[in-house]
Structure formats: structure tokens, C-alpha cells
Amino acid sequence: MVLIDPYGRKLTGLRMSVTSRCNLRCIYCHHEGEVSVGREISREMAVNVVNAASRLGIRSVKITGGEPLMRRDLEEMIAGFREVAPGVEISITTNGVYLKERAERLAAAGLSRANISLDSLDPDRYRRITGAKEGDLERVLDGIEAALVSGLKPVKLNMVVLKENECEIPGMIEFSRSNGVILQLIELLGDGPKGDLESVERRIEAQADGFLTREMHRRRKYFLDGAVVEIVRPMDNTEFCAHCTRLRVTSDGRLKPCLLRNDNLLEIKSTDPDEIERLILEVVRRREPFFRGANSDR
Ligand code: SAM
């Protein structure tokens, strides 16, 4: 079974926000495009959504937030996903501050890969960008190590490219090379002090040994002398939308067809997987690309 939306796009992944709570206050945060109503999705509902989605052909679930590690029951939730959908790959995006203590248990529960947000290796800059406390950057670095030791693979670092941290990209490439992690350079969504990712990509392209293009969002992945760098450019990118394979679940239990829209969500009112299956089919019918190219207004 493969879900296909009215624009011919296959749906293979679920991006589920499990809480809107967060321990950091990143200056640029898009809150996964959510306008939260304050409820938090129950573990039972989250598991039943994954159950229904897997029956409809979804192959991967990315857990996000807020900060997913704010949830004490995340290990149980992941074990629940694993039980109802054994073939589905489970990954997380986390700021990594609390990862050191939990990486092993998360991996044992069934988590297979991790994206860890890291916008700077400089403690002062890291604090300015993320609102972190003294010592948090060291915790994140320990969390990266714990993720690797626990066998999460791949571990990717998410760096949102800003004016303020652009100068750190060579150092971040070196850090990712020496630690065996993939660096994702992400274009800032929305208004804000965005770095010049286009020039950055041109420089990386000139130095790279080669690149390949991933199916999802047509992301380019460059290989540079042992380092791997992925470029994520969602803004005004028709390719990004044309190759979007994701359905979103908000932290308050709604199905959300697009990061950039809030007018076409569907509330999940029942924990019955059959009813959730019906809602998923309905929300897939509502999917439309946000950026459509030269002949549209976006
Ligand atoms: N707290 C978790 C974390 O830090 O990964 C999960 C939530 S966070 C919203 C998920 C990812 O979205 C992070 O890697 C973050 O850097 C990225 N992000 C947040 N706001 C963004 C924005 N305005 N533009 C681009 N990426 C953004």
C-alpha cells in the first residue's frame, strides 16, 4: 500500500511532534509550523496514529517537538511504535541537551537514528542563539557521543545557517568529519537573520569530491574528503514541495498536511486506528504543494 496525494506525491514519512514544551528558546524557532492549543498528544493516540499510518504504507516516523526529550515516557512511546509497526524506522530530532542520559534506553526501545541540533561550537554564540544555560553545549556534545556509542545511525547535526554562525561552517564540517556524523545545513525559514546558504553551497560544491540528490525534498548531499554535508533549502523551493513525502502530526493531536499552512488541519478525536486511518486518507486528499513554481503566486 502506498499513499499518493492529489499531486502524485507519495507519502512515506510521518513527522510527529510529541510536545510543544522545550528547554531552549532558539531565536529562529518555527515550532514545526504549529499554532498549539496547549493539549499534549497522549501516548495511546501517538501509538495508534503510527499503527494506522503504517497500515497505509508509512515507512518512517520522525519524532520532534518542542523538545521530545521533555517527555518522560518517550522510551515507552517508541517501544509502542515498534510493537504496532515493527517495520517502520523511528528517528528523532532533538536539541541533545538531555540525550546523554537517555540515548542507550532510546536505542534499546527501538530508536534507530538521530538528528541533533547544533548551531554553534562556541559556547557564547550557542547560548545567544539558543537561550541555553551555561554547560548545555557540553551536554549536547556528550549527547552526540552517547548517540554514537548507543549505535544510533546515522547521527546528523542540524545547523540552521544564520549571519551569526556562517563563519563556523568550516569548523562544523571538520567536527562532523572527525566525529563520523553528517552535517545538515538548513536554510532559515521565515523572517530573520539568515545566512547566505547559496554562496555556502557554491563553495562546498567547488570543494566536494561529488554529490548525490536524495529523493526527499531533492536534498543535495556533498562528499568532502570524508565529511558528508546535506543542504536543506525549503524556502521558495518548488522542488522541496514537489518531493515532499511527509505528513505531520501536531503536538496537540492534529494531522497537518504542510509545515507552512495552518488552514487545512484535521483534529484526531478518536484513538481508534480505523477512524485514524480514515482521517489520514482525508488529510492526504487535502495536501497541496505550498511552493508551486513560475505559474503560481508562490
Ligand atoms: N527541539 C528539537 C530540536 O532541536 O531538534 C525538535 C524541534 S526543532 C523545531 C526541529 C528542527 O527544526 C531543528 O533542527 C531546528 O534547528 C529546526 N528549525 C527550527 N526553526 C527553524 C527555522 N525557522 N528554519 C529552519 N529550521 C528550523
Side-chain angles (χ1 to χ4, degrees):
M1 162 94 207
V2 184
L3 278 175
I4 299 182
D5 76 11
Y7 293 81
R9 300 176 299 174
K10 285 186 194 154
L11 274 284
T12 55
L14 207 62
R15 188 167 173 109
M16 180 182 282
S17 173
V18 295
T19 182
S20 58
R21 290 178 287 140
C22 191
N23 54 312
L24 297 184
R25 294 284 172 267
C26 299
I27 50 172
Y28 54 74
C29 188
H30 58 30
H31 306 279
E32 299 290 348
E34 277 191 30
V35 183
S36 176
V37 297
R39 278 187 294 134
E40 192 161 277
I41 191 167
S42 69
R43 191 163 85 224
E44 183 191 9
M45 185 174 283
V47 168
N48 287 344
V49 170
V50 170
N51 185 359
S54 76
R55 286 173 7 192
L56 292 170
I58 293 286
R59 303 309 335 136
S60 63
V61 177
K62 165 133 303 161
I63 299 168
T64 181
E67 171 48 44
L69 297 183
M70 298 295 280
R71 276 194 81 133
R72 298 251 162 242
D73 64 351
L74 197 63
E75 289 82 353
E76 289 86 344
M77 191 186 279
I78 291 169
F81 293 171
R82 175 58 76 237
E83 203 178 312
V84 297
V88 166
E89 180 188 73
I90 306 165
S91 63
I92 192 171
T93 170
T94 169
N95 59 43
V97 174
Y98 303 130
L99 191 55
K100 182 185 173 194
E101 299 76 18
R102 296 180 68 180
E104 209 178 308
R105 277 183 284 138
L106 290 164
L111 186 71
S112 56
R113 41 202 295 168
N115 286 28
I116 301 169
S117 301
L118 184 62
D119 294 323
S120 173
L121 289 165
D122 174 84
D124 290 334
R125 185 177 286 123
Y126 181 76
R127 278 206 304 274
R128 273 200 304 279
I129 296 174
T130 64
K133 297 195 298 291
E134 185 98 36
D136 279 351
L137 176 59
E138 286 69 28
R139 286 184 195 100
V140 177
L141 300 179
D142 289 346
I144 294 169
E145 199 188 324
L148 291 164
V149 169
S150 305
L152 299 180
K153 204 168 172 173
V155 172
K156 295 188 180 182
L157 303 183
N158 283 3
M159 177 185 190
V160 177
V161 177
L162 307 166
K163 283 199 175 76
E164 164 146 29
N165 64 3
E166 214 180 296
C167 60
E168 284 200 50
I169 289 174
M172 289 290 288
I173 293 177
E174 187 44 49
F175 178 87
S176 59
R177 178 187 287 122
S178 54
N179 286 280
V181 297
I182 296 171
L183 179 63
Q184 291 205 119
L185 297 177
I186 304 175
E187 180 186 24
L188 177 71
L189 261 177
D191 299 327
K194 140 190 310 209
D196 182 358
L197 188 53
E198 225 169 290
S199 306
V200 168
E201 183 167 2
R202 275 201 298 275
R203 284 197 294 275
I204 289 176
E205 194 173 1
Q207 291 166 25
D209 310 317
F211 72 86
L212 55 82
T213 307
R214 287 184 55 194
E215 172 65 17
M216 192 184 57
H217 296 155
R218 279 283 189 264
R219 295 175 180 188
R220 275 200 179 185
K221 193 173 185 172
Y222 293 93
F223 302 94
L224 300 104
D225 193 17
V228 182
V229 181
E230 275 186 39
I231 308 283
V232 184
R233 287 203 281 120
M235 280 307 283
D236 295 318
N237 185 349
T238 51
E239 287 275 289
F240 182 90
C241 291
H243 296 275
C244 179
T245 53
R246 278 177 178 163
L247 188 63
R248 292 171 171 267
V249 182
T250 66
S251 61
D252 51 26
R254 290 178 294 163
L255 295 169
K256 180 168 165 52
C258 173
L259 167 68
L260 296 163
R261 282 181 62 173
N262 270 309
D263 58 351
N264 56 357
L265 283 70
L266 262 184
E267 189 175 347
I268 312 166
K269 291 194 177 132
S270 159
T271 52
D272 171 12
D274 291 336
E275 174 59 13
I276 298 173
E277 223 181 283
R278 198 191 58 72
L279 285 179
I280 293 176
L281 291 172
E282 168 56 29
V283 91
V284 167
R285 273 193 286 275
R286 297 184 181 194
R287 267 171 60 89
E288 283 180 71
F290 188 81
F291 296 115
R292 295 190 200 179
N295 296 329
S296 81
D297 52 354
R298 287 182 200 125

